[in-house]
Amino acid sequence: MKPTLSRIKKDSTFSSATNRSSTIWSKDGGCPFGTIPVKRITKDDLIRLRRMPPPEDVTFDDEYDVSNNNSGPNRRYVSSQGYKVVAIARIPYNPNSKFAGAGMDTVLYNPQVKGQQHSGSRLKIQKGLDILQVGWRVDPTLYGDTDTRFFIHYQADKIHCFNTLCPGFVQVNYDVPLDNSFMDTISQRGGKHWGVKVYIDRDLAGNWWLLVSQDFTRVGFWPQSLFTDLKSFATNVDWGGVVYSPPGVPEPPMGSSYFPIEDSNYDAYCADVIVFNEKGKIIEVDKTITHTDNPYKVEFIQLSRGAKHKYFVLYGGPGESTHV
């Protein structure tokens, strides 16, 4: 199936690599020509999959964060499932919004989790009950280890799935494993930073494509037929951190495991946050609504990056550990 991605073109604003963010997807040259990396599903994978917590089930309570000059109302994220999506920046909701996708450059960290906890960074697009996500996460339940790994996720009404553990996502690229470990490229707080550029883009046939790197490399797509609400354009987009702990278990660290200090050399962040409008034009996001919950923090702020000023979603925190 050939993609019809006429919208995606290189944009000089977002296509150049930065000095502080690098990406390595495949260290061994990838798979042989004409093949793609397909994870062999094992019995242990299926056991872990059954232990995964349910998908997010959330509501929002309006509040205002007067300390965040670049964002609008701050809303508290509430969930009965244990999720604390408490460090995200979100496009202000408008039922008439039509987004053909979004993107980000997210810096890689390895927050410490244990048991059924997980912690990660994600880009999320949504309309109604249909959701698409891409990013990185540390998730022993999903992966069987505590590596920082690439992930994708879709939710269509009551059906949800990670990576290719069940039918849905159609992978076409032979260089990008969907559970890729980034442990050789973990950022050091105050030192070298590594990051991944990820995008979700709707093609002219209504399929949603996963793209990576500054050259918009195509990895695969979620067919339009999977969805009800996302058969058309998305209405919501957010970027930032997400964690989970079972009820009664202290919350794990998020991002760099430290609160943001408004310095991208030290903070976990999502940078180059963009959306694609219904015509496929790249729009740099300069206004968001932030969503926070204790014990984490988030800021949407403009900082210097080289010779330019860019907007960053800074997020993170030590969780309920003794690490500060």
Side-chain angles (χ1 to χ4, degrees):
M1 184 173 183
K2 292 184 178 180
T4 51
L5 286 170
S6 60
R7 292 186 183 87
I8 291 293
K9 297 175 182 157
K10 283 192 177 181
D11 186 304
S12 60
T13 304
F14 298 101
S15 63
S16 61
T18 67
N19 292 329
R20 291 152 26 102
S21 182
S22 305
T23 305
I24 295 178
W25 286 102
S26 180
K27 304 172 187 63
D28 58 3
C31 297
F33 180 76
T35 66
I36 61 172
V38 178
K39 176 178 173 60
R40 180 174 295 174
I41 306 301
T42 67
K43 181 179 179 180
D44 287 343
D45 290 330
L46 296 176
I47 291 173
R48 290 196 302 271
L49 186 61
R50 287 197 294 269
R51 293 175 178 169
M52 290 293 293
E56 297 168 30
D57 177 19
V58 298
T59 57
F60 292 99
D61 296 325
D62 287 344
E63 291 186 356
Y64 283 83
D65 182 359
V66 297
S67 66
N68 197 338
N69 295 327
N70 294 314
S71 65
N74 181 55
R75 294 180 177 182
R76 190 166 302 280
Y77 204 95
V78 180
S79 173
S80 61
Q81 307 291 357
Y83 276 93
K84 298 286 186 180
V85 187
V86 295
I88 59 173
R90 180 186 180 101
I91 292 290
Y93 178 70
N94 181 339
N96 298 317
S97 294
K98 293 182 179 181
F99 300 116
M104 69 174 180
D105 178 2
T106 179
V107 69
L108 298 167
Y109 279 100
N110 184 241
Q112 298 302 299
V113 304
K114 57 185 177 180
Q116 288 187 293
Q117 295 176 330
H118 67 244
S119 182
S121 171
R122 62 98 184 276
L123 157 67
K124 172 183 170 183
I125 70 168
Q126 179 176 1
K127 182 178 182 182
L129 297 177
D130 292 349
I131 296 172
L132 291 173
Q133 298 183 78
V134 58
W136 61 261
R137 63 198 280 135
V138 182
D139 191 338
T141 305
L142 178 61
Y143 294 117
D145 59 33
T146 55
D147 285 5
T148 298
R149 291 183 178 272
F150 189 51
F151 87 94
I152 61 171
H153 179 265
Y154 84 88
Q155 184 174 333
D157 197 359
K158 296 180 180 180
I159 300 172
H160 69 105
C161 186
F162 284 94
N163 303 335
T164 53
L165 291 176
C166 52
F169 186 78
V170 180
Q171 192 167 357
V172 302
N173 185 284
Y174 50 86
D175 288 328
V176 183
L178 293 179
D179 59 354
N180 187 71
S181 173
F182 296 117
M183 292 308 290
D184 289 340
T185 52
I186 295 299
S187 300
Q188 300 300 315
R189 194 168 181 268
K192 185 174 178 59
H193 273 191
W194 299 86
V196 292
K197 290 180 179 286
V198 293
Y199 309 88
I200 297 173
D201 176 61
R202 184 178 185 270
D203 71 14
L204 298 179
N207 304 307
W208 293 91
W209 281 82
L210 170 65
L211 315 172
V212 299
S213 302
Q214 62 266 17
D215 59 355
F216 303 111
T217 299
R218 297 163 184 167
V219 180
F221 64 94
W222 294 272
Q224 184 194 50
S225 59
L226 290 173
F227 304 106
T228 300
D229 295 318
L230 280 177
K231 284 185 182 295
S232 59
F233 297 99
T235 54
N236 298 301
V237 181
D238 69 58
W239 304 262
V242 56
V243 302
Y244 171 82
S245 271
V249 178
E251 304 297 341
M254 176 191 286
S256 69
S257 304
Y258 289 80
F259 293 124
I261 60 172
E262 299 185 2
D263 185 337
S264 60
N265 287 302
Y266 292 86
D267 297 339
Y269 63 77
C270 303
D272 291 346
V273 290
I274 61 169
V275 293
F276 306 130
N277 68 12
E278 60 184 308
K279 297 181 179 180
K281 181 181 178 181
I282 293 176
I283 299 174
E284 184 174 3
V285 175
D286 59 8
K287 183 175 179 60
T288 67
I289 295 171
T290 56
H291 306 270
T292 59
D293 198 3
N294 289 329
Y296 310 101
K297 293 183 179 180
V298 64
E299 294 184 62
F300 184 69
I301 191 170
Q302 194 175 43
L303 298 173
S304 296
R305 194 176 194 182
K308 298 181 179 180
H309 284 79
K310 290 182 176 291
Y311 283 99
F312 288 77
V313 180
L314 308 177
Y315 69 91
E320 294 175 330
S321 70
T322 59
H323 182 59
V324 294

